[in-house]
Amino acid sequence: MNHPDWNDFDLATIAVRAGQRRTDEGEHSEALFCTSSFVFKSAAEAAARFQNQLPGNVYSRFTNPTVHMFEDRLAALEGGECCVATSSGMAAIMATCVALLDAGDHIVAATGMFGSTTQLFKKYLTRMGNPVDFARIDDIDDWRSKITPQTRMLFLETPTNPLTQLADISALAELAYSHNALLVVDNCFCTPVLQRPLELGAHLVIHSATKFIDGQGRCVGGAVVGDKKTVGEDIFAYLRTAGPTMSPFNAWVFLKGLETLEIRMKRHCESAANIAMRLQLEPAVKRVYFPGLAEHPQHELCKRQQSDFGAVVSFEVEGGKEAAWRVIDSTELLSITANLGDVKSTITHPASTTHGRISAEERSAAGITDSLLRVAVGLESPDDIFADIKRGLGE
Ligand SMILES: *Cc1c(COP(=O)(O)O)cnc(C)c1O
């Protein structure tokens, strides 16, 4: 079968079809190659494969056919030339930094990122000789002011979690280009269904496949998408040497996840918008954070940059921590956990969990108040999700 040019197809089609390579068995679904190594027909073939003179598999830390199918499918979805899969989202970020930065190269990263990402930059990359400064995600002048002659990378995720602030990807891409730096976007919250950062000028896209790509909370994995040289040569070379590669079983689960990504994201977004609107009408709710609401300060940017508004709804209740905890403790359906991107809706109190280890001053500077709750909206009926939240609201 010829491989079509996926640019000619809609996203839902790419998500189901791109990347599949069938074996001679004629399997309809993607095959799972659970094997650590591969055998050769002769000594000469072994030698040629090891020396990269012949294409083909050698060892699953380097390449694996199931992982390869996942990589090709995700690359097509993001509109990138090349993708490499990693053992986790964090491994994707680490591999990107270690493969591309020299000691002394400076990073400007967004405030309000995933906690482990911030920690990775602050604690480990700084120690390895890559100083990092943080810029307010929605303030291009702040980004500009943090850039030094040593800056090689701008790093962000958008929208932020839990407050749903957006970065203007096109504006930041221009800024990065003009300073000869790379713009790296963690696209975990939007997935290519809602946002395609490479089309907006980003150099690289990072994924935690653990979230919406799996979509059912089963496996941990990650990926980097971008151009052939940066991803297919530089980051791939690091991965095959250092080893944080994706397991074939996880790649197979993620392939199945991608097949339903478009339809799931639509439903996640529809339900989130429904719940945000209803929360706004509740007298016990002080403020709702959701980019789909006209009052959201970046509502217009969100409409330009994303095809839908996402699945995270945060809100402040009247009455502080006690009132917020009462909402959580009154739920019968929602899972009390900080995970997201799952069919199961989750509820969390950021100030005492995900943001519990930073100081009270840092928290209030970041806008994480004691009365804030975050719901990652899953695929249960929105009526049931809302009723579960409402039970603990007010008296
Ligand atoms: C979860 C997450 C990560 C880390 O991914 P893992 O697969 O857990 O390593 C990175 N970025 C964002 C935005 C995330 O939500």
Side-chain angles (χ1 to χ4, degrees):
M1 194 173 105
N2 293 323
H3 294 299
D5 178 354
W6 293 112
N7 290 320
D8 299 339
F9 290 85
D10 288 337
L11 204 112
T13 308
I14 301 171
V16 172
R17 291 283 175 178
Q20 182 168 14
R21 270 171 298 265
R22 292 209 170 92
T23 73
D24 290 343
E25 301 293 342
E27 71 281 2
H28 192 197
S29 177
E30 291 74 2
L32 169 51
F33 289 87
C34 259
T35 178
S36 51
S37 64
F38 300 83
V39 295
F40 313 106
K41 291 194 183 77
S42 64
E45 190 186 67
R49 289 243 188 116
F50 267 83
Q51 281 152 38
N52 261 337
Q53 289 159 351
L54 263 186
N57 301 297
V58 174
Y59 186 58
S60 281
R61 170 153 45 79
F62 309 165
T63 59
N64 174 281
T66 310
V67 176
H68 204 154
M69 287 191 268
F70 168 73
E71 292 169 333
D72 284 355
R73 186 168 295 176
L74 186 58
L77 285 167
E78 285 287 3
E81 287 175 3
C82 191
C83 168
V84 289
T86 57
S87 55
S88 68
M90 293 316 302
I93 298 172
M94 188 65 182
T96 300
C97 293
V98 175
L100 304 181
L101 298 176
D102 289 324
D105 287 348
H106 173 249
I107 304 168
V108 185
T111 51
M113 293 192 301
F114 184 64
S116 299
T117 308
T118 303
Q119 192 65 5
L120 179 73
F121 285 166
K122 270 192 180 166
K123 185 164 175 191
Y124 295 100
L125 286 168
T126 303
R127 191 196 286 170
M128 288 162 59
N130 298 117
V132 56
D133 280 296
F134 292 91
R136 283 193 303 278
I137 187 162
D138 54 355
D139 182 349
I140 186 88
D141 293 329
D142 198 29
W143 284 89
R144 195 176 289 113
S145 76
K146 298 284 159 56
I147 289 179
T148 75
Q150 279 71 47
T151 303
R152 283 286 297 133
M153 184 182 285
L154 309 187
F155 191 103
L156 61 91
E157 63 196 45
T158 176
T160 59
N161 172 30
L163 293 178
T164 70
Q165 291 167 302
L166 274 77
D168 185 334
I169 296 176
S170 303
L172 284 165
E174 214 167 287
L175 185 67
Y177 267 103
S178 67
H179 289 86
N180 217 6
L182 296 167
L183 177 63
V184 183
V185 176
D186 179 337
N187 202 26
C188 163
F189 293 145
C190 281
T191 81
V193 175
L194 304 193
Q195 171 172 281
R196 305 222 303 169
L198 298 176
E199 275 175 4
L200 299 167
H203 297 87
L204 296 174
V205 167
I206 302 271
H207 272 287
S208 166
T210 317
K211 311 295 165 53
F212 290 105
I213 290 179
D214 176 324
Q216 297 181 59
R218 298 161 294 192
C219 292
V220 174
V224 189
V225 187
D227 66 275
K228 271 207 179 87
K229 159 84 173 69
T230 311
V231 175
E233 293 177 27
D234 298 343
I235 300 177
F236 173 68
Y238 167 78
L239 280 176
R240 63 175 280 167
T241 305
T245 40
M246 181 178 281
S247 93
F249 177 79
N250 290 4
W252 183 82
V253 172
F254 295 139
L255 271 166
K256 296 288 116 186
L258 285 177
E259 289 175 354
T260 56
L261 184 66
E262 204 236 17
I263 191 169
R264 283 187 287 110
M265 290 310 288
K266 278 194 174 147
R267 172 66 184 246
H268 278 294
C269 293
E270 215 176 270
S271 296
N274 175 305
I275 286 160
M277 255 145 25
R278 284 154 80 168
L279 281 171
Q280 247 192 336
L281 302 175
E282 285 297 314
V285 171
K286 247 190 332 206
R287 179 169 174 188
V288 180
Y289 297 86
F290 182 68
L293 298 173
E295 304 80 66
H296 190 286
Q298 294 166 300
H299 180 61
E300 291 305 319
L301 170 63
C302 195
K303 283 205 286 194
R304 265 202 321 279
Q305 185 164 284
Q306 300 178 200
S307 68
D308 211 330
F309 300 113
V312 170
V313 180
S314 296
F315 59 101
E316 280 165 358
V317 293
E318 299 285 358
K321 175 174 152 183
E322 217 170 278
W325 277 25
R326 187 167 63 234
V327 174
I328 293 182
D329 292 335
S330 304
T331 58
E332 295 170 358
L333 190 68
L334 302 197
S335 313
I336 306 173
T337 170
N339 195 29
L340 57 81
D342 196 312
V343 287
K344 297 180 171 71
S345 298
T346 67
I347 187 163
T348 187
H349 182 245
S352 56
T353 57
T354 50
H355 294 69
R357 276 181 301 175
I358 60 174
S359 69
E361 296 83 67
E362 279 182 288
R363 250 197 321 275
S364 85
I368 313 288
T369 65
D370 276 350
S371 52
L372 184 75
L373 289 165
R374 188 206 72 189
V375 175
V377 178
L379 301 185
E380 307 94 336
S381 132
D383 290 347
D384 290 336
I385 299 170
F386 183 73
D388 207 43
I389 299 169
K390 189 170 159 64
R391 194 173 300 114
L393 276 177
E395 291 322 304

